[in-house]
Amino acid sequence: MGNDSDTKVLGIDAQEIQEWIESFDAILKEEGRDSATLLLDRLRARATALGVGHAFTANTPYINTIPLEKQSIFPGDQEIERRIKSLIRWNALAMVVRANRVDHSIGGHISTYASAATLFEVGFNHFFRGRTDEFEGDTVYLQGHASPGVYSRAFLEGRLSMKQLENFRRELREGGGLSSYPHPWLMPDFWEYPTVSMGLSPLMAIYQARFNRYLEDRGLKPATDAKVWAFLGDGETDEPETLGAITLASRENLDNLIFVINCNLQRLDGPVRGNGKIVQELEAAFRGAGWNCIKVLWGSDWDPLFERDTEGLLVKRLGEMVDGETQKLTVESGAYVREHVFGGDPRLLKMVEDYPDESLRTLRQGGHDPRKVYAAYKAAFEHKRSPTVILARTIKGYGLGESGEGRNITHQQKKLNEEELREFRSRFGIPINDEQLHETPFYRPPDDSREIQYLRARRQALGGYVPTRKVRSKPLVADHDALFREFHTGSEGREVSTTMAFVGMLRQMLRDPEIGKLVVPIVPDEARTFGMESLFRQVGIYSSRGQLYEPVDVHTLLYYKEAKDGQILEEGITEAGSMG
């Protein structure tokens, strides 16, 4: 509702505005969300026709996209899952701390997984499907700097040994070790995709999702609901490759693609956008590109406050705060939160008058609330006709206390003293006594414990462990020497360019009855330059929509032929995309 000063300037009675709002509320309640959306669209169209302009914005208010009443019910045992997550947190921390006691130059990262633990665990327990004989499984690009958490989970699953955890970042040590980051070459049975080069995994995820559709449209694999998940950090979006291909994903209607961006507001040296709001910036970029955007900003602790916020004052205040201010709330007291978030308006102060300072200090971010994260993942999984990005607010170094939680130094945090370990141990209920703390021991419950039984049962229900890398390719059986025989003899005095010879080889391969359908020519808008236009008619250019127009050169022999089962991937002017 507009405030009194607004109504005086505009000459509109406040009661009249309230009646309009109540009328809209009634339509929403009685006719539903679709009818309310239709009404807004008609009003916008009418305003435009009458010359009444309004400022364009690709942003929605700084609140959760999914309201409480639309939130899916969490299906798991939240207490056991919290317990499992706590053990994974501890072992991930212990892995890095122990390694750096042996050699302070080992490095490693604690704070990234600390912020992403809930985002990962909800996926592992409820969404990431493994590969089986009947189902291809989901493709999951995991945030590389969070690898200690993935190793820690595999340790609880029984897939990695304690010796391997001890040898973190020391693969050649006796008993084997673990690579710094996701690396299929170094751990060929474990990691499926390399992801730690910033911007690499989001770009690969987009092209993987499109290639999956390409294989389906060409009949090379059955159509399934398999998803491609990409986990990345908000700081990573500064890499041009991260956002460079997002319009391809929406143009191709890749509803098999889900980005999860861990918005902990921090990169290596400091805030991602100290004087701005990275979540709103990313929302505008993705919504403008045609993605379905789901914001997960506030945990369940905030729901009662938003229910009290009948005038939208709290939402407005949260939207005004820049990320530098928001980050500081993490390291300050509840009294500071009361003063700096709610203290500017008596109505906001009244909203929290029955909240003790400690309750204000511990209000959770949405990315640390399994119920909010599950609802977002489920909505993304079920969404159709466009890719989805989930923007989840978290705290970098969550759980590290004063040593690193929400602080600018947290990305470089490798060591904790005994008091800091004690605080972490107590906060997450790890069954390790004070005498053992200085050793920072790994902990794994017995195989018959509820935690291990639950963890394994969830993975079994979802088709097996993730990540797991299995060689699935089958060797070619035919002798293909005949394909290249004419090239072995040379050009017999004729001048032949390298590109001409290559196109000749490619044409021969495409005609082969065994391998021809498996050859995928990928062209960065240079087919005509290299004499490849004859392939347009021979195998066609892939388009998920077929060809909805008659090309200008349709009456020529080598016209531009697009087809849903086309074989050529014509990528346009993009070297990175052609390599993706």
Side-chain angles (χ1 to χ4, degrees):
M1 185 174 73
N3 60 37
D4 292 340
S5 61
D6 291 335
T7 57
K8 289 176 183 177
V9 171
L10 298 173
I12 302 174
D13 181 73
Q15 181 61 37
E16 185 178 351
I17 293 176
Q18 183 61 25
E19 288 174 0
W20 279 102
I21 292 173
E22 290 173 358
S23 297
F24 180 78
D25 290 346
I27 291 173
L28 179 62
K29 182 178 179 180
E30 295 172 14
E31 304 294 335
R33 192 172 295 270
D34 291 341
S35 296
T37 301
L38 176 62
L39 175 61
L40 289 176
D41 289 342
R42 293 288 176 84
L43 286 172
R44 289 192 192 98
R46 181 61 177 164
T48 300
L50 295 175
V52 179
H54 57 278
F56 170 78
T57 177
N59 283 128
T60 59
Y62 201 65
I63 53 175
N64 294 340
T65 301
I66 302 174
L68 180 60
E69 62 272 16
K70 297 290 183 179
Q71 187 174 303
S72 303
I73 297 175
F74 186 81
D77 186 322
Q78 195 168 338
E79 178 53 34
I80 291 185
E81 290 189 24
R82 185 200 64 79
R83 175 90 178 128
I84 292 169
K85 181 169 59 180
S86 296
L87 295 176
I88 294 173
R89 286 183 185 278
W90 172 263
N91 287 319
L93 176 148
M95 192 186 320
V96 177
V97 169
R98 287 168 65 103
N100 282 272
R101 283 178 181 167
V102 174
D103 184 342
H104 65 84
S105 65
I106 288 291
H109 304 275
I110 300 173
S111 60
T112 297
Y113 181 74
S115 67
T118 299
L119 302 178
F120 278 29
E121 281 303 294
V122 171
F124 279 120
N125 285 321
H126 301 285
F127 289 95
F128 304 157
R129 293 167 295 176
R131 183 181 296 273
T132 66
D133 293 337
E134 295 77 30
F135 180 65
E136 65 188 275
D138 293 325
T139 299
V140 186
Y141 292 91
L142 294 161
Q143 192 174 355
H145 288 98
S147 60
V150 183
Y151 291 142
S152 179
R153 165 171 260 271
F155 171 63
L156 292 190
E157 291 167 340
R159 297 199 291 146
L160 294 178
S161 68
M162 189 176 297
K163 175 61 71 175
Q164 287 174 294
L165 264 61
E166 288 176 352
N167 291 337
F168 174 61
R169 289 194 165 197
R170 292 171 292 173
E171 300 100 301
L172 301 181
R173 292 291 294 271
E174 184 180 351
L178 303 173
S179 61
S180 303
Y181 303 120
H183 204 313
W185 183 261
L186 296 175
M187 297 180 65
D189 298 325
F190 190 83
W191 291 116
E192 294 183 274
Y193 312 100
T195 59
V196 84
S197 293
M198 297 293 94
L200 184 62
S201 63
L203 183 67
M204 290 195 303
I206 290 172
Y207 281 93
Q208 183 67 61
R210 198 276 296 266
F211 192 67
N212 288 354
R213 288 289 166 80
Y214 167 88
L215 293 175
E216 292 172 1
D217 288 340
R218 290 195 53 221
L220 296 176
K221 86 173 189 68
T224 72
D225 68 346
K227 303 296 183 184
V228 177
W229 296 78
F231 287 78
L232 51 149
D234 48 359
E236 187 175 353
T237 61
D238 284 338
E239 280 284 359
E241 290 83 3
T242 300
L243 304 181
I246 61 174
T247 54
L248 182 149
S250 53
R251 184 168 70 246
E252 295 292 320
N253 301 320
L254 297 180
D255 53 17
N256 60 338
L257 176 64
I258 301 171
F259 273 19
V260 181
I261 303 184
N262 176 11
C263 298
N264 57 38
L265 310 187
Q266 290 179 243
R267 47 192 179 197
L268 275 69
D269 290 337
V272 178
R273 296 290 184 273
N275 296 308
K277 297 183 83 66
I278 187 60
V279 168
Q280 299 300 83
E281 179 181 321
L282 292 174
E283 179 190 35
F286 279 96
R287 291 189 76 208
W291 287 53
N292 173 44
C293 187
I294 300 174
K295 292 193 288 195
V296 186
L297 308 181
W298 313 108
S300 300
D301 304 341
W302 288 84
D303 287 336
L305 292 175
F306 288 126
E307 189 175 347
R308 298 178 184 185
D309 187 30
T310 56
E311 297 181 86
L313 297 172
L314 179 57
V315 172
K316 181 174 181 292
R317 174 63 185 134
L318 295 172
E320 292 170 345
M321 298 177 67
V322 296
D323 286 351
E325 293 178 282
T326 305
Q327 180 191 355
K328 193 174 183 184
L329 298 177
T330 304
V331 303
E332 294 289 350
S333 66
Y336 182 93
V337 174
R338 188 184 304 276
E339 178 185 354
H340 287 80
V341 177
F342 301 92
D345 190 310
R347 292 169 292 181
L348 287 175
L349 279 174
K350 184 169 181 59
M351 197 180 296
V352 293
E353 64 180 356
D354 58 340
Y355 276 64
D357 287 347
E358 182 62 14
S359 295
L360 294 180
R361 188 187 70 82
T362 57
L363 288 169
R364 270 194 302 183
Q365 306 298 321
H368 297 304
D369 187 328
R371 287 176 288 180
K372 300 296 184 183
V373 173
Y374 177 85
Y377 284 8
K378 187 171 187 291
F381 187 92
E382 295 173 350
H383 181 74
K384 301 299 181 185
R385 300 294 299 167
S386 65
T388 293
V389 59
I390 295 169
L391 303 173
R393 275 281 290 111
T394 65
I395 297 172
K396 195 160 190 174
Y398 184 74
L400 298 182
E402 293 186 4
S403 65
E405 184 171 312
R407 298 178 186 275
N408 287 333
I409 62 166
T410 189
H411 188 83
Q412 308 302 335
Q413 190 78 12
K414 320 292 181 194
K415 302 176 181 178
L416 281 79
N417 61 39
E418 196 162 314
E419 182 56 38
E420 291 163 346
L421 287 170
R422 183 178 292 106
E423 181 182 341
F424 189 97
R425 182 271 321 265
S426 300
R427 178 171 179 174
F428 293 105
I430 310 301
I432 292 172
N433 60 43
D434 289 349
E435 289 71 29
Q436 296 173 302
L437 267 181
H438 71 281
E439 300 175 359
T440 323
F442 298 116
Y443 179 80
R444 183 178 185 275
D447 282 346
D448 60 357
S449 66
R450 292 182 64 208
E451 293 88 350
I452 300 300
Q453 292 293 315
Y454 184 92
L455 177 127
R456 287 177 168 172
R458 291 309 309 145
R459 288 314 314 159
Q460 183 177 1
L462 289 166
Y465 294 121
V466 174
T468 300
R469 186 170 179 267
K470 298 177 181 177
V471 177
R472 302 181 298 274
S473 58
K474 299 178 181 178
L476 298 173
V477 295
D479 181 3
H480 296 98
D481 286 347
L483 277 174
F484 308 107
R485 189 167 297 140
E486 67 175 279
F487 303 101
H488 291 160
T489 60
S491 62
E492 299 180 344
R494 292 179 293 111
E495 289 189 0
V496 179
S497 68
T498 305
T499 52
M500 286 177 62
F502 169 73
V503 172
M505 289 183 184
L506 186 59
R507 190 180 297 112
Q508 290 279 71
M509 293 167 67
L510 287 166
R511 289 173 178 160
D512 186 85
E514 183 186 13
I515 69 170
K517 64 182 180 181
L518 305 178
V519 177
V520 183
I522 302 174
V523 184
D525 201 36
E526 291 272 17
R528 297 186 191 275
T529 303
F530 295 103
M532 296 173 64
E533 63 266 40
S534 62
L535 301 181
F536 294 169
R537 285 288 299 272
Q538 182 179 341
V539 294
I541 299 163
Y542 172 71
S543 168
S544 60
R545 298 183 181 182
Q547 193 156 31
L548 306 178
Y549 64 97
E550 184 176 85
V552 295
D553 55 357
V554 67
H555 299 300
T556 66
L557 180 64
L558 305 178
Y559 73 89
Y560 196 82
K561 177 189 173 185
E562 296 188 79
K564 192 164 185 176
D565 61 351
Q567 199 158 342
I568 299 170
L569 287 175
E570 176 64 87
E571 299 297 352
I573 306 174
T574 166
E575 293 182 3
S578 297
M579 295 299 292

